[in-house]
Amino acid sequence: MLAISTRGFLWSDVETRTLLNIWGEQDIQTALDGNFRNSHVYRDVARRLGEMGFERTPEQCRVRIKSLKRQFLLAKEGNLRNNGQYHKICKFYDAMERILSSRPQIDPQELLDSGAVGDETMDGTEEEEDTDPPQHPYLESTGECSYPETQVKQEYPPIPIPVTVGNGTTVRQTSSSQSASGPSSSRPKRPKKRHADLPLDSLMERFLEQSAEAEQSFYQLEEQRLQVEDRRREAEHARELHMLQVLGQMFSSIATRNPVATATTTTAMPPARNTMESTMQPGVPMSASSHMTRGRSCHLRVRSPQSQAEWPSYHSQPQSNAGSQTLVIERSFSLGTATRTGMDDILPLVKNIVPPLTSKKHKGQDGRIGIIGGCQEYTGAPYFAAISALKVGADLSHVFCTKDAAMVIKSYSPELIVHPVLDSPNAVEEIEKWLPRLHSLVVGPGLGRDDKLLKNAKEVIEKSKARDIPIVIDADGLWLVAQQPSVIQGYQKGILTPNYMEFTRLYEAMHHEPLDSSDHQRSAMELSVAMGNLTVVLKGEEDLITDGNKVILCRQEGSGRRCGGQGDLLSGSLGVLAHWAYASSADMTKSVNPSVVAAFGACSLTRQCNRQAFHKHGRATTTTDMIQEISSAFKKLFES
């Protein structure tokens, strides 16, 4: 099951600092000051937090701010009395001090004594109530009474009190209401219970520790409750599968006794469209690779042996116990937005291949990526691919381009190493000298279709194959493959990243027949097999990844904005992830094709960047905006 980083109540340090940065903005503080109804303010805070990659509800944001203010006020009170010894107890003391220093000063002792610290009254952080705000000033300040407090003066008659003086004379004194506060004044006052044996700093420290422990315990209990709920849903899923197996056995017995009725049933039930179908034998659990949507609609369909001839060749056709009759139970599900086919299995593998950041590494150890592309007409594509590789985590990016494009690409960023050799007479020899230093190669961004450049790119691919490094082919590099498939055919570390038009061109070049657009999964598998089981990434509404053996769909949420250069971001990040995947051990990828793992990670990252950039810029989103989101998107997907 996929775990969402911000699902529970535990807040990481990075997420908390992001919340404080948003809450401390001038417009948020202005909206909170003196505003009794402010749930809309915290909805805005939660929205901005979501744009930064952290999904939280307005109520969670409000409770977290309240907790931070409680810790800050307690630590500040301790600092006033103990010369700053409590600064270290509040982890975010400096950030809170910076934000609250610009607001009206409130005496922390008064807040602590009156119990307002827990409620945070009069500072714009209380949750919006259903009732109207109180009108009386006393009610506004305390929230306890709707009438002003009136001091009542009590009168008592004079009472003679005999007092014996030293010489034995008795003197009577009179007590009046003016000199005595009441009948209870003669009673001895009960001393207040105090922890006289503990200093104030010890009490304050103990209080803060107990408060933190109670909050942590609450969060842990809430996480346990959510885990129990997940297990309950999984149990319901298992029971549903069991019921399907029982139904399969029932249909099997019916088909064995009356095969004619089975064929009639098949004819009466037309095949469902736009659904996911999975086959299973009676009594055999469904394959774990079929993922289903909660809240789904389910349909059972029985096929006769005659109808099975229409099935694709890669579907298994199990036999019934009778031997002569074949029974296929199909389970069809309508796909919803919550479906994540393959993410539960592949996403943890992507996290496994990400190398840790340590000070013991040397420059270049986490990746030296080469980009083959860039001509006079196209200078943006190689830049996008190279800078994306750096942002994902590569140490060095080399761009091998033409002489006319070199100066332009170099002006985009000083981080790139630009080689103006792609159109030189000895281009292959110049690039070959750098191949021993490269960990992976990306061919095609901005390459163009000049015959000389394509010829040089082909020879560079041949040299790279001899060194057994991953090769990602995109854009005009796919045009080269469509013209000469043998340049990459059969190379297991080759990865093709076509869009729909490029995929159609490749398919028709390999099969010499028009593409059947009704079944993209089958067509992608056929192309991969024809290319020698290369990994193919068909980009589209749902990125389809296959190595000829299995199909994985990447349904990470993106947006409706499709800007030029987004594919270059994908190819650059894929070059880095491919190096990490092949450099990892087999245990890290659990025997899954490393190219498939890397491709899934790159597709998920690109879609997440698109989503985050679209939240900020909407229709004006460009690839430059998406590149700025790589850091937070990578952290949310692979480091949470």
Side-chain angles (χ1 to χ4, degrees), residues 4 257 352 411 517 598:
I4 304 176
R257 292 195 297 267
N352 288 345
S411 66
S517 60

Side-chain angles (χ1 to χ4, degrees), residues 283-330:
V284 180
M286 184 179 296
S287 172
S289 62
S290 59
H291 298 264
M292 292 158 284
T293 308
R294 292 174 183 167
R296 53 200 174 274
S297 61
C298 174
H299 309 282
L300 286 175
R301 190 159 71 245
V302 182
R303 286 182 177 266
S304 65
Q306 293 82 359
S307 64
Q308 293 182 28
E310 303 173 358
W311 274 48
S313 59
Y314 56 87
H315 276 289
S316 60
Q317 299 182 1
Q319 301 293 326
S320 65
N321 296 331
S324 59
Q325 298 292 336
T326 303
L327 178 66
V328 178
I329 304 290
E330 290 185 352

